[in-house]
Amino acid sequence: MRRRDFIRTGTFTGLVAGAGGIGGAGDPLAAIVGGPARRTAAGPVRLSSNENPLGISPAAKDALVEAVVLSNRYPADQHRALVGKLAAAHEVAENQVVLGTGSAEVLQMAVQAFAAPRAKLVMAEPTYEAVTNYQRTEAYELIRVPLTSGHEHDLDRMREVAESSGHPALVYLCNPNNPTATITPSAAIDAWIADAPEHVFFLSDEAYIEYVEDERLWSSLPWIGSKRNVLVVRTFSKIYGLAGLRIGYGIAHPDTAARLSDFASRNNINQLAIAAAGASFRDEALMEKSRKVNRQSREMVEATLGELGLEHMPTQANFLMHRINGDLATYRGRMAEAGFLVGRDFPPMLDWNRLSFGLPEDMGRFCDTLRGFRGKGWI
Amino acid sequence: MRRRDFIRTGTFTGLVAGAGGIGGAGDPLAAIVGGPARRTAAGPVRLSSNENPLGISPAAKDALVEAVVLSNRYPADQHRALVGKLAAAHEVAENQVVLGTGSAEVLQMAVQAFAAPRAKLVMAEPTYEAVTNYQRTEAYELIRVPLTSGHEHDLDRMREVAESSGHPALVYLCNPNNPTATITPSAAIDAWIADAPEHVFFLSDEAYIEYVEDERLWSSLPWIGSKRNVLVVRTFSKIYGLAGLRIGYGIAHPDTAARLSDFASRNNINQLAIAAAGASFRDEALMEKSRKVNRQSREMVEATLGELGLEHMPTQANFLMHRINGDLATYRGRMAEAGFLVGRDFPPMLDWNRLSFGLPEDMGRFCDTLRGFRGKGWI
């Protein structure tokens, strides 16, 4: 997070309860937080991190509060119970499911587990940057392949790169892709997986799959029964609204899951995250409400962008990429002044912004703000 | 956790709320959980994982509940605020503090960050096994040095091993040591740190330091200002009673902290863990109560072991090691039957048990159970 964004969140005082040293007199942050730019207690509207604006579901909250009594107990039993629930729902064995502190930890396990001398990491540009960050400490040769002009993964080029030698290749496929919210048709991915040599490993990040309406996209899950070289990653951070609780999971062949597990942090998942995830998983009412609200906000934003003639990409997720006709940092700063946090840099697309969909009422105000920016010649 | 222990915890049904597949009709676990051996809803008494039996403090619970509204938001701001609070309290810079999902993740970061071709990992036998597990995926040569007859780290031997070549050596010092609860005098550790070459890295695990009454033990924290090769690890799992929330931290020279951070999982810490930790940190009333209850339970257990003539080690933590005069697995099984979960295997000490101190009333029942075992000739 950039400093400009950070100081505007307004949420960080008081949230660490008893934090006498933060925001108090003499604290260097106090001047920033308490300064004239400070917003209301509720803080700015966060349209920056693809979070679910509906928040935790009532059922998940109840489960979480009931589990507070377990705060002093290590989570092994509850962890195992949630793995059992996920495995049963996905019709796989328990030893095929690996929990992580968000899908982020599962991605980290994969990057670490499949590192090897002269291994390649093949990924789109732009795509979600966690994998890029994790590979910095590993031996990978990083190969970035630009999306096609249709905003799809360039599978032909990725395949050429991944299979051009016998060295191991970890292929990261984020579908829908973050930050573009665009999809790559699964039929083409399946065709590659079916034919790929074993040294090509597919890391299929399906963080946003529950939002997808386009029937050309489906999960890579069916492959894990027969292929050791496929890992599907899911998260509770998006449709389930639990980004702050840090829980996600991977599903793979038992041998692959075992390799990953060696890289999990001991007792990684928080008791309350387990409780909330268990109560949220496949809660159809929650999922339908999330999709409905997302659709309302998306349609409002798309209409406004159309009205303003600002190009945007087609979206199959809870965010979209749109042109801003100018410098991204300047745009972001002005949006922060107006009370909206918007997306970070995704090079090389520095004249586009990634906009997460908030609640419809907030998006109404956002659209008004965009129109105001146009009036000032800022976009 | 062994299966026998697991089936006795009795806590895993209902904790994953909405877990229709777990414990329900037709679930293979239901027969186990609902079988004749099932205990009360509260489950057996956990004296197996060095948890704080008092549970989360009221202030931490309030802070946590207040933070539930953040469950759908990524924790970067709150994370940074807690780092600021910890840094201020320890009188270090913010870039010297690294949060982990329990101290377990900080230990993992260290093991991964300092791995190198032909690096050595030098540790006591027995000691806490997390570091041993993490090194399995790395290039370390693992060298285990038995504790002295006085149950201290054998620093002379560890030093000889660590410095016998110019290869990097990661030296793990758990003080008080888990599972023995015994201490190694800090003066001797300081003498080594003062003279050690830079290729020897000290990983100082101070998980239990808040329980220590013996004045011969103090923190290694003063070294981090001048030494890049010292990392001090602390946890909220023990004296603060937050083991289930998974939060701990490391403190080191800024350069060392930066090296570690590369291995942290992205957005690693749960919002609610941050809130509870912030509200618990240096809460003197909570700490004093934890110490007092621990002392009561310890004195009761020591008296009973003395009465039964069962040898035990001196303890400076919230657990102790005692002889069981028999086979550990058998003993553990019988304790589980009686409603008590007790410690796991710590080879090579397989005729000793690690006993965590629970609430005094539970320890009273435990002591009666021990006497009953003696009556049956089991110990």
Side-chain angles (χ1 to χ4, degrees), chain B residues 144-160:
Chain B
R144 307 210 59 163
V145 177
L147 296 175
T148 66
S149 57
H151 319 301
E152 296 181 8
H153 281 73
D154 187 343
L155 296 179
D156 289 343
R157 178 70 188 138
M158 292 177 90
R159 182 168 188 170
E160 193 179 307

Side-chain angles (χ1 to χ4, degrees), chain A residues 68-117:
Chain A
V68 170
V69 69
L70 295 170
S71 296
N72 63 327
R73 302 298 181 185
Y74 285 98
D77 300 343
Q78 292 76 22
H79 185 120
R80 188 174 184 279
L82 181 61
V83 165
K85 179 172 185 170
L86 299 176
H90 285 295
E91 298 180 349
V92 298
E94 294 190 6
N95 65 1
Q96 296 186 260
V97 176
V98 179
L99 301 187
T101 51
S103 53
E105 194 193 13
V106 184
L107 297 177
Q108 183 183 38
M109 293 178 209
V111 171
Q112 294 183 340
F114 300 109

Side-chain angles (χ1 to χ4, degrees), chain B residues 183-195:
Chain B
I183 68 162
T184 301
S186 299
I189 294 172
D190 282 354
W192 183 8
I193 293 175
D195 281 350

Side-chain angles (χ1 to χ4, degrees), chain B residues 127-186:
Chain B
T127 192
Y128 182 52
E129 68 269 55
V131 167
T132 324
N133 294 343
Y134 292 141
Q135 64 81 37
R136 283 191 200 132
T137 60
E138 309 298 327
Y140 290 102
E141 175 192 4
L142 176 62
I143 304 170
R144 307 210 59 163
V145 177
L147 296 175
T148 66
S149 57
H151 319 301
E152 296 181 8
H153 281 73
D154 187 343
L155 296 179
D156 289 343
R157 178 70 188 138
M158 292 177 90
R159 182 168 188 170
E160 193 179 307
V161 163
E163 299 184 4
S164 66
S165 72
H167 297 299
L170 178 59
V171 176
Y172 178 62
L173 298 171
C174 186
N175 200 17
N177 187 48
N178 181 5
T180 56
T182 52
I183 68 162
T184 301
S186 299

Side-chain angles (χ1 to χ4, degrees), chain B residues 56 60 66 73 76 81 121 187 212 226 246 250 278 309 311 322 334 337 361 368:
Chain B
I56 188 171
E66 200 179 325
R73 302 299 181 185
L121 177 59
V212 173
S226 58
R246 316 306 305 129
E311 184 185 3
H322 67 89
R334 287 170 172 162
E337 291 287 335
E361 54 266 37
D368 288 344

Side-chain angles (χ1 to χ4, degrees), chain B residues 247-271:
Chain B
I247 182 163
Y249 60 104
I251 309 187
H253 187 281
D255 293 349
T256 304
R259 285 185 68 183
L260 289 177
S261 297
D262 280 345
F263 293 86
S265 183
R266 187 179 174 99
N267 291 314
N268 52 358
I269 315 294
N270 176 295
Q271 287 278 20

